[in-house]
Amino acid sequence: MSRSAHPAGPRHADVLTEGHYSAPPADLNALDPKVWAHTVSRTDDGVVRVGGIEVTRLAEEFGTPAYFMDEADFRERARAWRTAFGHDADVFYAGKAFLSRAIVRWLHEEGLNLDVCSGGELATALSAGMPADRIAFHGNNKSAVEITAAIESGVGRIVLDSFQEIVRVAHIAQSLGKRQRVQIRVTVGVEAHTHEFIATAHEDQKFGIALADGQAAEAVRRALSLDGLELVGIHSHIGSQIFDMAGFEVAARRVVSLLAAVRDEHGVELPEIDLGGGLGIAYTSDDDPREPHEIAKALGEIVTRECEAAKLRTPRISVEPGRAIVGPTAFTLYEVGTIKPLDGLRTYVSVDGGMSDNIRTALYDAEYSVALVSRTSDAEPMLVRVVGKHCESGDIVVKDAFLPSDLAPGDLIAVPATGAYCRSMASNYNHALRPPVVAVRDGEARVIVRRETEEDLLRLDVG
Ligand SMILES: *Cc1c(COP(=O)(O)O)cnc(C)c1O
């Protein structure tokens, strides 16, 4: 069982009794390629570099905290998904994981499509030149303004999430003289093996329309009856940070049985199914994610088999990975500020960021790793908790890890696998200035989202 499958409590379980990190790793200077971006390595003098640039230089030029993203790695992962799914399937990158105009351009160049779930994400995508027909619009409570913007721009599909929305989207499309391509999001009753706050396909939740009691079949009936809608498929997203394909298998089987029921009732074979995102990545060396080609093969086989059994033409499959593409490509670089050893417990290492740049540890009890990156050390390992500078004792970045015992203020440490759901969930708590995202590639570093300034903060404060 993956550690992320543990229930929420106890929130701050003692690592020594839980035992995950009761033994330090053999070599504290080693960088596990599972959790670090592809071009990350140590130079001969011990400094870590990414994209050919030392982190010490990056810190000098861009400051800390900051996210550094390995552009080559991002493109490779995007391409690996695209290639694995081939021409009979579509890969939609889930923009909520992290979105900026540079990301949109990279996705466009690598042949991926894009999921957005707000007017802001849609505006970002369109402003960077993503063709609207390659954009899917999601969300459980899209506003009339957002729906109008999506339809007017010509998005490829809107994923309908409720009975009200079926009518709302149909009405707006019709008033604009358009027929909007839509999918219906269903909940298939699968509880993905993940933290309960991010599991989304069980029925007691806000997303989707339940398959179980005939609600989804009723939603299809209504969507087919409305002139403003062209119903093209069924959508299912079962959760996030999932390692086990069994949940996708059950979801695919149930979605295909709905397609068969729709064919039997309406004589219509819906041409698309979307199996969502949620594929897990390695946050620590204990996680073992699947490769895109394994996932593509498994999903393709399940859908083909189920469709053959139901005598349906195999629909066009789409998937929506967010974390699995962007997550591993970035790390957060921090400078160590204060170090507080607590006898018999652990040592608290405070950094110059915290829950404002990585809320996942506080929100999901997420696990992260950490390494000293500005030098190597042969000192003994010490058990640490990496914490931020916010006025909150839950302001934890890395719950339990080992760092060398000669760690000192001014050292640079980095937390890998922070490309997804860190900058995109960043806040201004304590009026923190949100860190920049810097893309690094072939010896060149380029800011793609700049650091916030005090002027940015004060500009919004118009009282
Ligand atoms: C969040 C989300 C995704 C992406 O999830 P990841 O865990 O980042 O892969 C895909 N589809 C939908 C509908 C989502 O809500």
Side-chain angles (χ1 to χ4, degrees):
M1 187 165 87
S2 111
R3 269 177 293 115
S4 46
H6 284 294
R11 298 290 289 180
H12 305 303
D14 190 322
V15 65
L16 294 173
T17 56
E18 243 196 11
H20 292 308
Y21 287 98
S22 51
D27 178 5
L28 275 186
N29 298 314
L31 301 169
D32 184 347
K34 263 204 298 193
V35 300
W36 293 90
H38 284 162
T39 70
V40 170
S41 64
R42 265 189 212 274
T43 59
D44 292 342
D45 58 3
V47 180
V48 168
R49 63 161 124 187
V50 58
I53 310 184
E54 285 79 26
V55 292
T56 41
R57 245 184 75 201
L58 292 171
E60 244 165 61
E61 190 170 346
F62 302 102
T64 56
Y67 309 97
F68 292 97
M69 185 170 286
D70 184 341
E71 179 180 343
D73 190 15
F74 183 99
R75 287 178 179 274
E76 257 173 57
R77 288 177 202 269
R79 208 174 305 144
W81 277 87
R82 186 76 209 90
T83 310
F85 280 85
H87 295 295
D88 303 327
D90 295 303
V91 180
F92 285 75
Y93 169 81
K96 70 179 198 233
F98 173 66
L99 196 66
S100 77
R101 292 203 269 200
I103 294 283
V104 173
R105 284 193 295 270
W106 301 346
L107 292 166
H108 188 191
E109 286 162 15
E110 301 298 340
L112 275 74
N113 299 353
L114 178 62
D115 270 0
V116 300
C117 59
S118 71
E121 289 183 1
L122 177 63
T124 303
L126 293 172
S127 82
M130 180 60 83
D133 63 355
R134 284 171 49 187
I135 299 175
F137 201 102
H138 283 266
N140 67 303
N141 189 19
K142 309 167 190 78
S143 71
V145 170
E146 288 172 324
I147 294 168
T148 305
I151 297 174
E152 276 184 331
S153 69
V155 297
R157 66 167 83 131
I158 294 179
V159 181
L160 302 171
D161 193 274
S162 66
F163 284 98
Q164 282 96 352
E165 202 170 76
I166 293 171
V167 177
R168 206 170 282 160
V169 171
H171 178 78
I172 294 174
Q174 224 173 355
S175 70
L176 294 170
K178 297 221 190 183
R179 189 147 184 261
Q180 177 61 48
R181 287 167 45 88
V182 296
Q183 292 186 341
I184 291 174
R185 176 162 174 175
V186 300
T187 42
V188 295
V190 172
E191 188 155 355
H193 287 245
T194 185
H195 191 286
E196 64 174 327
F197 294 166
I198 47 178
T200 54
H202 57 102
E203 276 136 16
D204 186 6
Q205 54 139 321
K206 70 171 186 171
F207 290 111
I209 299 174
L211 269 183
D213 53 2
Q215 297 277 307
E218 177 59 20
V220 169
R221 231 166 264 138
R222 294 196 196 171
L224 286 174
S225 75
L226 292 166
D227 291 337
L229 306 180
E230 179 189 353
L231 179 63
V232 293
I234 302 296
H235 181 284
S236 155
H237 172 71
I238 58 171
S240 270
Q241 187 59 1
I242 304 165
F243 293 99
D244 182 354
M245 295 302 288
F248 289 99
E249 177 147 11
V250 177
R253 194 175 309 135
R254 294 185 184 167
V255 168
V256 171
S257 68
L258 177 62
L259 293 185
V262 170
R263 186 253 338 258
D264 295 345
E265 181 178 342
H266 305 279
V268 177
E269 290 198 23
L270 298 178
E272 297 176 3
I273 74 173
D274 188 312
L275 293 172
L279 285 313
I281 63 164
Y283 285 104
T284 75
S285 298
D286 293 348
D287 295 325
D288 285 306
R290 306 261 177 146
E291 294 294 327
H293 66 88
E294 298 175 278
I295 295 160
K297 183 160 177 284
L299 293 182
E301 283 173 1
I302 297 163
V303 173
T304 306
R305 175 168 22 94
E306 295 300 319
C307 287
E308 273 170 11
K311 298 196 166 43
L312 282 167
R313 272 193 303 276
T314 305
R316 190 171 179 84
I317 300 175
S318 48
V319 288
E320 307 174 314
R323 184 192 321 266
I325 292 176
V326 72
T329 67
F331 59 81
T332 316
L333 188 65
Y334 299 105
E335 184 178 302
V336 172
T338 60
I339 298 174
K340 201 178 277 185
L342 299 189
D343 257 2
L345 290 171
R346 73 192 86 237
T347 296
Y348 278 77
V349 174
S350 296
V351 294
D352 46 0
M355 64 193 297
S356 54
D357 59 70
N358 187 347
I359 191 65
R360 293 192 64 259
T361 307
L363 188 58
Y364 306 127
D365 213 24
E367 305 273 353
Y368 280 94
S369 346
V370 63
L372 171 60
V373 291
S374 48
R375 61 183 175 93
T376 52
S377 166
D378 296 325
E380 289 297 302
M382 67 172 171
L383 181 63
V384 302
R385 176 161 287 174
V386 179
V387 296
K389 58 182 289 168
H390 296 286
C391 306
E392 197 80 39
S393 54
D395 172 24
I396 297 169
V397 180
V398 184
K399 282 187 293 185
D400 295 293
F402 287 92
L403 283 171
S405 54
D406 65 350
L407 191 76
D411 278 334
L412 297 176
I413 62 176
V415 175
T418 59
Y421 305 108
C422 286
R423 181 58 181 80
S424 70
M425 287 184 158
S427 78
N428 290 121
Y429 182 44
N430 293 139
H431 283 200
L433 303 171
R434 286 178 295 176
V437 182
V438 180
V440 189
R441 183 189 185 185
D442 297 334
E444 277 177 38
R446 183 165 61 97
V447 176
I448 61 173
V449 178
R450 73 161 168 78
R451 185 184 300 283
E452 268 178 338
T453 62
E454 287 174 2
E455 294 81 75
D456 290 330
L457 286 184
L458 292 172
R459 198 171 300 144
L460 299 178
D461 187 335
V462 294

